[in-house]
Amino acid sequence: DTEVTQTPKHLVMGMTNKKSLKCEQHMGHRAMYWYKQKAKKPPELMFVYSYEKLSINESVPSRFSPECPNSSLLNLHLHALQPEDSALYLCASSRGAGEGNYGYTFGSGTRLTVV
Amino acid sequence: SQQGEEDPQALSIQEGENATMNCSYKTSINNLQWYRQNSGRGLVHLILIRSNEREKHSGRLRVTLDTSKKSSSLLITASRAADTASYFCAALRGAANAGGTSYGKLTFGQGTILTVHP
């Protein structure tokens, strides 16, 4: 299995809703990431998990809450989002957790719309 | 803030022609990577060049890295209509969090939209 699987592919949620994005990989990768991408912009790093521990939070608002239940799964819990949070949310994984020379494997993303 | 800038922002060519995209970055890096993205979906890793390498080839792809100028270029030879996509460079640099744990931080450039006409 050489894929990163993200669910759901599309999500529409109200500003008072609570929802979760899910990401799964079975490549034995030890680092996992959440990126946010707005239309016609590059992906922006949100969170880095290495060996199931949060390594970095790029000053992301607390309405986004990451969780790494085990080495294969990564969740992003969403609560009280704003319309400007509408974007493509991408999950990625890499073999190494440090600064090694590894490419990232990306999922297809969840397209989130906040209404 | 984004690590890199890319030019051109958009490139339109005919099938069979070569496409060259350039990328600049601001800080020291461990490696420079290139990704492709179709229609706003997931990114696909194309090629990685380490900071101590100057040129690398993979199939129709050729990437160069000039660390003195903090720049890289991606050349796609003999382009095909199926190469139509957005291409991003991404710079990986090492960092450490407050707890001393090292990690890699991959930061993307602005991207080049490539259109290859049949």
Side-chain angles (χ1 to χ4, degrees):
Chain A
D1 189 350
T2 58
E3 291 186 343
V4 172
T5 302
Q6 289 189 246
T7 56
K9 293 193 183 306
H10 301 273
L11 178 62
V12 179
M13 61 184 291
M15 290 188 284
T16 59
N17 291 160
K18 287 184 180 181
K19 296 287 184 182
S20 296
L21 308 184
K22 297 185 184 300
C23 174
E24 190 168 0
Q25 59 87 13
H26 296 287
M27 295 176 281
H29 287 180
R30 303 316 306 263
M32 297 184 76
Y33 314 85
W34 281 114
Y35 279 82
K36 172 183 177 179
Q37 187 179 24
K38 302 282 277 185
K40 301 187 186 301
K41 295 292 186 180
E44 295 183 358
L45 182 64
M46 300 176 71
F47 301 104
V48 176
Y49 271 85
S50 60
Y51 293 94
E52 301 153 52
K53 293 184 179 178
L54 183 65
S55 293
I56 185 170
N57 172 340
E58 289 286 287
S59 302
V60 179
S62 60
R63 57 186 184 269
F64 296 91
S65 176
E67 178 196 20
C68 189
N70 59 57
S71 60
S72 299
L73 295 175
L74 187 65
N75 298 321
L76 186 63
H77 303 297
L78 314 173
H79 174 54
L81 295 192
Q82 303 297 309
E84 58 264 30
D85 295 322
S86 298
L88 181 68
Y89 288 84
L90 294 161
C91 174
S93 68
S94 65
R95 181 158 56 99
E99 51 199 30
N101 292 300
Y102 313 110
Y104 286 23
T105 302
F106 280 83
S108 296
T110 294
R111 191 165 298 283
L112 174 68
T113 303
V114 181
V115 298
Chain B
S1 62
Q2 292 303 310
Q3 175 72 285
E5 300 294 329
E6 290 184 60
D7 76 270
Q9 290 186 330
L11 181 60
S12 183
I13 59 175
Q14 296 294 128
E15 246 184 351
E17 294 180 341
N18 295 340
T20 299
M21 290 161 260
N22 302 297
C23 167
S24 62
Y25 56 92
K26 298 176 183 175
T27 65
S28 61
I29 61 172
N30 294 74
N31 63 61
L32 194 290
Q33 305 178 27
W34 287 87
Y35 288 81
R36 164 191 169 134
Q37 185 176 38
N38 286 84
S39 304
R41 300 308 293 185
L43 289 92
V44 175
H45 179 258
L46 296 176
I47 193 167
L48 178 153
I49 185 166
R50 304 181 184 200
S51 60
N52 61 354
E53 295 177 315
R54 293 297 167 258
E55 186 172 316
K56 201 165 183 180
H57 298 255
S58 177
R60 294 186 295 117
L61 304 179
R62 172 179 169 252
V63 64
T64 63
L65 180 65
D66 187 334
T67 53
S68 66
K69 296 181 179 178
K70 292 187 169 55
S71 67
S72 174
S73 68
L74 174 68
L75 169 67
I76 304 174
T77 60
S79 63
R80 306 165 181 167
D83 294 329
T84 295
S86 294
Y87 291 81
F88 293 93
C89 68
L92 185 87
R93 62 181 177 90
N97 63 15
T101 301
S102 65
Y103 61 92
K105 183 172 178 179
L106 189 68
T107 307
F108 287 82
Q110 295 301 308
T112 294
I113 300 171
L114 174 65
T115 303
V116 182
H117 300 281

